């Protein structure tokens, strides 16, 4: 049928992933670092993604396209939510929530572990946004850290500065397909989160992670302290 539908200019796309976060129907996904219309029958033509794009890569066109399938969208979203919260059938330990206890020798950053190396400050598993269970017990009373996965490599003191005392979630909107905001909204809404810290890189694609976390906080209806910290590619905190 002839109808209005979005079109994405891949040359203008910077791979930030904000449009994929904004698309509630799951029509847009990230492929090879670029946004693409993956399912035209999931695009309702209303353009929630249009104002979200920072580079103007998205526009409307009128062309022959499959009709919008609302039932297929509902089914896909239900299945996506089920996959995000259920453990993998292979029994991979990465899908099971657990807290990590640290020995008392790790209470001071100046005290090395038994091996003479600095001790990890990670207090829970898993850490990947896509894998973490929404109802994991370590979210109760947590100071939540949502970080772009590159930040821990760029900033040398990441464990002491950011992970210590926080429950850590990491992701990359340029590489992960789908929307973080729905999962983060459920985590904030259904748990006693005390604060939110977002740590991102200075590169544009990290805007997708920041946007998803901010949207989640707003959609949760809760008012908790939050902050955004930006790390430069040479490993410094930008003011």
């Amino acid at each position: 049928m002839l109808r209005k539908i979005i079109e994405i200019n891949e040359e203008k796309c910077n791979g930030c992933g904000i449009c994929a976060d904004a698309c509630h129907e799951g029509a847009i996904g990230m492929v090879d670092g670029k946004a693409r219309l993956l399912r035209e029958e999931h695009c309702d033509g209303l353009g929630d993604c249009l104002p979200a794009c920072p580079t103007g890569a998205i526009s409307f066109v009128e062309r022959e396209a499959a009709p919008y399938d609302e039932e297929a969208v509902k089914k896909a979203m239900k299945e996506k939510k089920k996959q995000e919260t259920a453990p993998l059938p292979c029994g991979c330990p990465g899908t099971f929530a657990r807290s990590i206890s640290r020995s008392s020798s790790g209470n001071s950053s100046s005290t090395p572990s038994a091996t003479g190396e600095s001790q990890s400050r990670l207090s829970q598993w898993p850490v990947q946004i896509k894998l973490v269970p929404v109802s994991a017990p370590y979210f109760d009373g947590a100071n939540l850290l949502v970080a772009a996965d590159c930040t821990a490599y760029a900033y040398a003191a990441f464990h002491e500065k950011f992970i210590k005392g926080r429950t850590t979630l990491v992701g990359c909107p340029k590489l992960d397909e789908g929307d973080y905001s729905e999962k983060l909204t459920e985590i904030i809404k259904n748990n006693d989160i005390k604060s939110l810290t977002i740590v991102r890189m200075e590169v544009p694609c990290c805007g997708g992670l920041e946007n998803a976390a901010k949207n989640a906080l707003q959609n949760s209806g809760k008012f908790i302290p939050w902050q955004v910290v930006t790390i430069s590619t040479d490993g410094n905190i930008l003011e």
Side-chain angles (χ1 to χ4, degrees), residues 153-211:
Y153 294 95
Y155 188 72
F158 193 83
H159 277 248
E160 291 297 325
K161 180 72 174 180
F162 298 110
I163 294 181
K164 183 180 179 181
R166 295 185 175 97
T167 295
T168 303
L169 299 180
V170 301
C172 177
K174 190 168 184 178
L175 299 180
D176 292 339
E177 181 179 342
D179 182 9
Y180 292 139
S181 58
E182 183 179 350
K183 182 77 170 283
L184 293 175
T185 298
E186 292 301 308
I187 290 172
I188 296 172
K189 180 186 294 184
N190 296 312
N191 296 282
D192 181 24
I193 303 298
K194 299 299 186 184
S195 68
L196 172 64
T197 299
I198 306 161
V199 183
R200 55 163 292 178
M201 296 297 294
E202 63 176 328
V203 295
C205 55
C206 268
L209 184 72
E210 178 181 345
N211 184 68

Side-chain angles (χ1 to χ4, degrees), residues 1-200:
M1 63 177 294
L2 185 66
R3 71 181 184 96
K4 186 169 67 174
I5 196 168
I6 67 158
E7 183 174 72
I8 301 173
N9 185 328
E10 291 191 15
E11 292 184 0
K12 291 183 178 181
C13 176
N14 65 5
C16 69
I18 295 176
C19 59
D21 289 340
C23 179
H24 303 299
E25 291 76 25
I28 300 175
M30 304 304 295
V31 178
D32 297 328
K34 296 287 187 178
R36 292 186 184 175
L37 178 60
L38 300 180
R39 306 173 185 89
E40 62 180 29
E41 69 276 13
H42 286 204
C43 178
D44 59 10
L46 297 179
D48 287 344
C49 56
L50 194 63
C53 180
T55 64
I58 302 175
S59 59
F60 280 121
V61 296
E62 190 170 346
R63 64 173 175 82
E64 287 290 335
Y68 173 62
D69 191 338
E70 184 176 2
E71 290 303 314
V73 170
K74 290 180 179 178
K75 182 178 179 180
M77 293 298 99
K78 184 177 181 180
E79 183 63 26
K80 176 186 173 184
K81 188 172 183 179
K82 180 180 177 181
Q83 290 176 356
E84 286 179 344
T85 56
L88 296 176
C90 64
C92 171
T95 66
F96 298 99
R98 67 185 182 97
S99 297
I100 301 172
S101 299
R102 299 292 175 189
S103 65
S104 59
S105 65
N107 289 338
S108 170
S109 60
S110 62
T111 304
S113 66
T115 63
E117 299 176 346
S118 298
Q119 191 175 56
S120 170
R121 295 299 185 179
L122 191 66
S123 62
Q124 102 288 340
W125 188 264
V127 296
Q128 224 287 338
I129 297 173
K130 295 289 187 179
L131 295 179
V132 66
V134 170
S135 58
Y138 46 70
F139 285 129
D140 185 33
N143 293 301
L144 187 63
L145 170 66
V146 177
D149 50 16
C150 293
T151 55
Y153 294 95
Y155 188 72
F158 193 83
H159 277 248
E160 291 297 325
K161 180 72 174 180
F162 298 110
I163 294 181
K164 183 180 179 181
R166 295 185 175 97
T167 295
T168 303
L169 299 180
V170 301
C172 177
K174 190 168 184 178
L175 299 180
D176 292 339
E177 181 179 342
D179 182 9
Y180 292 139
S181 58
E182 183 179 350
K183 182 77 170 283
L184 293 175
T185 298
E186 292 301 308
I187 290 172
I188 296 172
K189 180 186 294 184
N190 296 312
N191 296 282
D192 181 24
I193 303 298
K194 299 299 186 184
S195 68
L196 172 64
T197 299
I198 306 161
V199 183
R200 55 163 292 178

